[in-house]
Amino acid sequence: MFSIIGWIFFGLLTGLIARALVPGDHSMGCMRTVMLGVAGSFVGGAIGYLLQGGSVVQSSGWIGSILGAIILLAISMRRSNAVD
């Protein structure tokens, strides 16, 4: 139970930091911010795997998670601008 709450809290903080660092209008709610942060953690772990090796699913820490969330947010913004 506490691990789920930990993932939600970690995802929320990571997503909020990524949204603060990327300029532009981010029209997403709290749940999408949490999902952005959690998905960013997985992207950061995958990038860490490509750079260092190890396990495919590994923790990436705060910096890797924020960088992964920034990458996902930039891709999302680019896709939404292409559709408009």
Side-chain angles (χ1 to χ4, degrees):
M1 179 67 175
F2 288 115
S3 64
I4 294 172
I5 294 171
W7 272 99
I8 291 171
F9 183 69
F10 182 77
L12 181 64
L13 286 178
T14 305
L16 286 174
I17 292 170
R19 286 178 57 187
L21 292 176
V22 175
D25 181 33
H26 313 293
S27 57
M28 62 176 63
C30 186
M31 284 305 295
R32 283 190 61 195
T33 302
V34 170
M35 291 189 300
L36 172 70
V38 171
S41 181
F42 284 110
V43 170
I47 291 172
Y49 168 74
L50 292 174
L51 294 176
Q52 295 179 336
S55 174
V56 176
V57 179
Q58 61 183 350
S59 63
S60 59
W62 282 98
I63 295 174
S65 298
I66 293 169
L67 289 177
I70 288 172
I71 290 169
L72 290 176
L73 190 57
I75 291 170
S76 171
M77 288 179 60
R78 181 172 281 229
R79 290 187 76 190
S80 68
N81 288 338
V83 172
D84 293 338

